[in-house]
Amino acid sequence: MNKNEFIAKIAEDAALKKGDAEKFLDAFIATVKEVMVSGDKLQLVGFGTFEAKERSAKEGINPATGAKIQIPACKVPAFKPGKALKDEINK
């Protein structure tokens, strides 16, 4: 499912106009990004948790040359599904 199909599904399920559903989705995505950038977690009970996790620096190997390279520490987006979501998927 792509973004347009997702927006159409939201609009249909919530009895919204597609434009309103798109505004909702854009606002949701912006809010999730804002929360993760600030270092907070967004917990949606029954669905899951969005957060930014720290990845430590490490040494890697360039596959093309075999040379060792230093990979810097960074933050990565993460989603941890909630129990209710896991249970629903595994029915």
Side-chain angles (χ1 to χ4, degrees):
M1 176 178 285
N2 64 32
K3 185 177 178 181
N4 287 332
E5 293 167 339
F6 188 52
I7 289 168
K9 179 72 171 145
I10 291 171
E12 178 184 322
D13 291 352
L16 298 171
K17 295 179 183 175
K18 279 189 180 181
D20 292 338
E22 184 172 10
K23 286 178 188 176
F24 164 78
L25 182 58
D26 291 341
F28 176 78
I29 291 169
T31 302
V32 171
K33 286 180 188 178
E34 188 178 303
V35 168
M36 291 186 353
V37 166
S38 72
D40 283 339
K41 292 181 186 179
L42 173 60
Q43 294 178 313
L44 302 173
V45 176
F47 184 70
T49 303
F50 296 91
E51 67 181 311
K53 291 191 174 187
E54 295 283 337
R55 183 178 287 168
S56 59
K58 61 184 177 181
E59 189 175 90
I61 298 175
N62 181 336
T65 63
K68 292 187 180 206
I69 56 173
Q70 194 62 27
I71 301 170
C74 64
K75 291 182 182 179
V76 293
F79 174 75
K80 181 180 177 187
K83 183 179 181 332
L85 178 60
K86 288 184 204 177
D87 290 347
E88 186 69 27
I89 291 171
N90 288 308
K91 277 187 177 180

